Amino acid sequence: MPRVLIVAYGNRLRSDDGVGWIVAGDLRQRLASPEVEILQLTQLLPEVAESISHANTVIFVDASCDGEPGELHCRQLTPPPAKAQFSHQLTPAELLGVAGRLYGATPQAFCVSLTGECFEHGEELSESVAGRLPQLASKVEQLTKEVLAGPLATLPSSQEAEAAS
Amino acid sequence: MGEAVKQGKTIIIDPVTRIEGHSKITLHLDEDGAVEEARFHVTQFRGFEKFCEGRPFYEMPSLMARICGICPVSHLIASAKACDALLAVRIPPTAEKLRRIFGLAQVVQSHALSLFHLSSPDLLLGMDADPGKSNIFGVAEENPELARDGIRLRQFGQEIIERLGGKRIHPAWIVPGGVSEPLTETNRDAILSAIPDALRIVERTLEWFKGRMEHFREEIASFGNFPTMFMGIVKQDNGLTFYDGKIRIIDAAGKVVADALDPTRYFDYIGEKVEPWSYMKSTYYKPVGFPDGIYRVGPLARLNVADRCGTPRADQELAEFHELQRTAVLSSFHYHHARLVEMLYCVERMEQVLNDSEILSPRVRAVARPNALEGVGACEAPRGTLFHHYKIDEQGLIRWCNLVIATGHNNLAMNRSILQVAKHFVRGNHLTPGMLNRVEAVIRTYDPCLSCSTHALGQMALRVELLSPSGELLDQVERTG
């Protein structure tokens, strides 16, 4: 059972949306450990809830549309109080909620994202995103190592904390 | 496509939710507010038949798998079978068995998605439930075991696909001439060990579903409950199959209309018609003509045309299913029931094939150059009969391609079903969420796969507007994203 589950997701064929997939390859080498499991997914589906319920900490890695291209965000997630309207896809926070309701386990969770510039068809990252890949990988690695070093109740003050809505 | 919307009173349901793909429904009212016409518009365009022209034929299975994120395996199988015909080879017996297992696993995960994730909110909470609760969260609160079972069955199917094909979505394991890698003993044993749990889940869900049916008598009576023909591929002994066999067509009374039709000659008996208001083609049985040649495919049709399943538990359930009606089982509501019987068959059948003495054979691929310039591949996809038809030139490049997708076979029936439901439930100028949901729910019974592009940007909102002939807004129901 992994202590840290990293869920990197997005569409590799939609340019910057594939940033999670790309960084996951790097993270597999940096974080090779039986205590760390890395999933690469195209989208978040209910099935992931079971894997989430087995982890102590979950780190979602995704591209974001918010902010300026290349901005790095890290926020702590909490399950949403309201129910989702649509079951076709789920947000990271909603998946946490599903894990809690179905499997009785809601691990602490974070979302680390990089704001994308281009989400059109294509397999190349835009320059503003490609140039920030090392920082994205470092942020996830740092967070993972902090988690593995001991309990992490809340985000370190040096990182942006934001309740999931 | 938009012409009809401008005439008379029109209710537009856009998009239809909890289905695979993007579509809208328009209901046309007469001057008294009664529904006089209904249409199911598929608003997306894919174009695979055109843009594969010029590609080498051996790329086709991988290209065609991209048609769908839910049932790529069916497209792989139909495409590879068409390519087998181009090679003019008979694939090794073990390769055929492995393809069968692959297809059965996909049916389980696809049917589980339809039943548990998309339709169980209606079946568990009712058609008039608060739209805000008609989703997986509502199901998880009301019946967590049901929600967990859905997740587990999906995982079961996906894990088999991953073990055989290397990945869950768009695996490229099936190739012209067979499959690219043999099955390992480790993977066989792992799949076999998961079968008892999958069987328990399907049987538990079947019992639950049968207990729920009494709550849906009105829906059973009005959800696509009309006479049509039914079509499906059956084995030579008229048993259920998803991989290979003959085409059988029966009428609403259950009498055989056509039997032992060659799937590779589909164009002799199936016609295709394009309507100006939808990107989806409508098919019909040629000897009867359009539109009277309406027929249905998919789980309901397969169980109607099959005499037996060939596995013990599914055969018991099939016998019970046939008891639902003395003729063919006509109501499209029973697609849900049929889906469960088929899942039971798939799990049992997988176990049979996995225990075959030759299943670990390393001889899984026939290699050849193109030996024919035209090939047709057919199989039963989760949603119904699927045909891939290719023509190539001397260099092996695709020159022409025709795809008859399972959902297209049901296009006429889906449109008629919407009309039946709307006429029964829509009253006057007042719309309710329950009315809206039933119009969508009848479409969900068919589990149409429209897009095959599973990525969605943002969440879908839904608004239904009731407009007067002059365009005045009379009523509206809105579902926020």
Side-chain angles (χ1 to χ4, degrees), chain B residues 83 90 124 169 274 292 305 395 447:
Chain B
C83 292
R90 186 172 181 179
L124 177 69
I169 300 176
V274 176
D292 292 341
V305 300
Q395 283 70 47
D447 186 25

Side-chain angles (χ1 to χ4, degrees), chain B residues 234 237-240 248 303-309 315 318 322:
Chain B
V234 291
D237 68 353
N238 300 323
L240 183 64
R248 194 180 208 202
L303 294 199
N304 273 329
V305 300
D307 291 345
R308 64 188 61 82
C309 291
D315 268 333
L318 180 66
H322 284 162

Side-chain angles (χ1 to χ4, degrees), chain B residues 33-65:
Chain B
V35 175
E36 61 179 10
E37 183 58 275
R39 283 179 174 172
F40 180 52
H41 308 261
V42 177
T43 55
Q44 59 185 65
F45 179 68
R46 301 283 286 162
F48 272 79
E49 290 167 324
K50 207 63 193 166
F51 68 64
C52 69
E53 289 180 2
R55 304 305 307 173
F57 80 93
Y58 52 78
E59 287 184 357
M60 290 300 278
S62 287
L63 275 176
M64 294 297 105

